[in-house]
Amino acid sequence: MGEVDPAFIQHPEHRPKLSINEAEGIPLIDLSAINSPNSISDPEDIERIVREVGNACKQWGFFQVINHGVSSDKLQKIEASAKKFFALPLEEKRKIRRDLNNVLGYYDTENTKNIRDWKEVFDFDVEDPTLVPASPDPEDDEETEWTNQWPEYPPEMREACQEYAREVEKLALKLMGLIALSLGLPEDRFKGYFKDQTTRIRLNHYPPCPSPELALGVGRHKDGGALTVLAQDDVGGLEVKRKTDGEWVRVNPTPNAYIINLGDTLQVWSNERYESTEHRVMVNSEKERFSIPYFLEPAHYTIIKPLEELINEQNPAKYRPYSWGKFTTHRKLSNFKKLNVENIQIHDFRI
């Protein structure tokens, strides 16, 4: 990526500090009690995990899980494929470059908050093809399909990605069940929303950056979907905006752990009982970094609104209903053109 082009330079108030605050206190939750093979989970263990998940959602909007049941072999395979793919010459990667018509595949000029990110990515959907609205226009009822683009090399990449997706899906839905229980809802309360999911997985590569004090791997943002399950390597770089004081703090990699963060959709469903948290990614001048977020997202026809069970006269709905498909299609626009205003956010629907 060469020297720092002005397109990458963050506004002064959003530039990273190179001195690192470590995020002491981000909860680490052991899921072994619900992942033990051939054993019935102790109700007390489940209650404890539900309580820990609920507290983490309330206090941080972020937590880490260990003994999560995802095969380390499947993670290693997708990581190895990602490294081989990103090591290819640029012209080879750009053979499957995404655009407005096909939003899945390789990309190296993504903007967050209209500032270019210091990264390159490969996106694929868990459902292939994925049915979505043809445009963000509320009056347009036409649908279209997003289809995955796979590279010729490495040949094993497609299978590695698909196998990994199936493994992480089990974890993501299990976590949604625990979150439902923590809200006093039935464990399967959210399950129906993901029947025709628009869930996406991204392979991220952050090359070394000559001016890490000016640029960010990903600018400050919140995830729009329900839940994100993140695998990161041992280099680190993820920072979370701490709710108590607004300080940016580093989430250090924990061996064999996944980082979980709540998305805006869950904030709306819970009527702000739980809130999504702003986060960003630092880069460094010496080491490349890889990460793999799994974005759990509902079917395009889902109308996102506070759940009826969580609203009453004392706690009325804080959001107007909106279409997930139209919302996510609108947000995709900022990937391909620099907008003059901030892209659509859930606060646009706040009552």
Side-chain angles (χ1 to χ4, degrees):
M1 286 182 170
E3 291 185 9
V4 176
D5 184 291
F8 292 103
I9 296 176
Q10 294 285 323
H11 298 301
E13 69 271 26
H14 299 303
R15 288 177 193 167
K17 294 177 185 171
L18 297 188
S19 59
I20 295 170
N21 284 333
E22 290 185 11
E24 291 178 18
I26 281 205
L28 181 67
I29 300 174
D30 186 343
L31 299 181
S32 55
I34 59 170
N35 282 319
S36 304
N38 308 318
S39 66
I40 298 169
S41 300
D42 185 321
E44 284 188 13
D45 285 337
I46 295 173
E47 276 181 37
R48 174 182 50 78
I49 293 171
V50 167
R51 197 164 51 246
E52 288 178 7
V53 166
N55 289 339
C57 289
K58 213 172 286 181
Q59 292 164 13
W60 281 92
F62 263 80
F63 55 97
Q64 299 184 76
V65 292
I66 54 172
N67 297 316
H68 39 66
V70 177
S71 154
S72 58
D73 178 54
K74 299 284 193 292
L75 175 59
Q76 286 163 9
K77 280 183 181 174
I78 193 173
E79 286 176 333
S81 292
K83 287 178 181 178
K84 286 182 187 175
F85 172 73
F86 287 122
L88 293 172
L90 188 57
E91 61 270 20
E92 194 63 31
K93 291 181 282 193
R94 283 185 170 169
K95 286 180 181 176
I96 53 164
R97 194 170 193 265
R98 68 187 202 199
D99 56 34
L100 263 174
N101 298 318
N102 195 343
V103 303
L104 302 168
Y106 174 76
Y107 206 58
D108 59 351
T109 53
E110 186 160 272
N111 293 306
T112 301
K113 306 291 185 190
N114 294 318
I115 304 289
R116 191 171 163 191
D117 295 330
W118 191 272
K119 69 178 181 194
E120 54 180 347
V121 305
F122 173 81
D123 285 340
F124 68 96
D125 276 355
V126 171
E127 298 286 334
D128 187 24
T130 301
L131 199 62
V132 291
S135 81
D137 181 354
E139 304 302 316
D140 184 359
D141 293 331
E142 193 180 340
E143 294 177 337
T144 189
E145 290 180 339
W146 289 344
T147 307
N148 289 334
Q149 299 189 84
W150 297 104
E152 287 181 26
Y153 182 85
E156 71 275 12
M157 183 163 158
R158 180 175 187 164
E159 185 181 350
C161 288
Q162 291 171 333
E163 286 182 355
Y164 180 76
R166 286 192 288 271
E167 285 274 304
V168 181
E169 180 177 18
K170 293 175 200 165
L171 171 60
L173 294 177
K174 199 174 287 184
L175 290 166
M176 289 301 293
L178 293 170
I179 289 169
L181 291 171
S182 75
L183 289 165
L185 303 168
E187 188 174 1
D188 63 355
R189 179 62 178 87
F190 295 112
K191 194 174 179 183
Y193 293 121
F194 304 104
K195 180 175 176 290
D196 299 309
Q197 61 189 321
T198 55
T199 298
R200 175 173 45 99
I201 294 182
R202 167 167 288 181
L203 310 181
N204 282 317
H205 175 224
Y206 304 97
C209 175
S211 300
E213 72 285 358
L214 297 178
L216 286 166
V218 184
R220 72 197 194 286
H221 69 286
K222 296 181 177 186
D223 295 344
L227 188 81
T228 302
V229 180
L230 175 73
Q232 64 168 342
D233 64 14
D234 59 0
V235 174
L238 175 67
E239 292 196 334
V240 174
K241 197 170 191 179
R242 192 163 49 198
K243 290 186 177 185
T244 51
D245 58 8
E247 280 291 310
W248 287 103
V249 290
R250 175 74 58 95
V251 183
N252 277 335
T254 299
N256 306 313
Y258 279 102
I259 296 168
I260 313 299
N261 68 277
L262 308 187
D264 287 340
T265 295
L266 196 49
Q267 176 169 319
V268 175
W269 278 339
S270 72
N271 204 33
E272 291 187 359
R273 287 263 295 274
Y274 298 155
E275 295 180 19
S276 56
T277 302
E278 206 166 37
H279 50 288
R280 66 185 187 182
V281 174
M282 301 271 283
V283 284
N284 69 78
S285 58
E286 294 162 14
K287 290 183 176 179
E288 61 183 346
R289 176 178 180 262
F290 297 89
S291 71
I292 307 172
Y294 172 104
F295 301 105
L296 181 67
E297 299 179 347
H300 84 87
Y301 49 74
T302 306
I303 301 300
I304 309 295
K305 60 182 181 179
L307 299 181
E308 290 177 8
E309 305 96 304
L310 301 179
I311 57 176
N312 52 43
E313 282 185 22
Q314 291 74 41
N315 188 32
K318 294 182 169 71
Y319 295 89
R320 302 191 316 274
Y322 62 91
S323 157
W324 168 253
K326 296 293 183 183
F327 181 81
T328 192
T329 306
H330 195 303
R331 278 170 74 107
K332 285 282 188 290
L333 290 177
S334 71
N335 291 338
F336 305 104
K337 51 184 164 184
K338 189 165 180 174
L339 306 176
N340 295 322
V341 294
E342 183 179 50
N343 204 350
I344 192 168
Q345 303 290 332
I346 57 167
H347 61 59
D348 296 319
F349 301 97
R350 208 173 188 288
I351 295 171

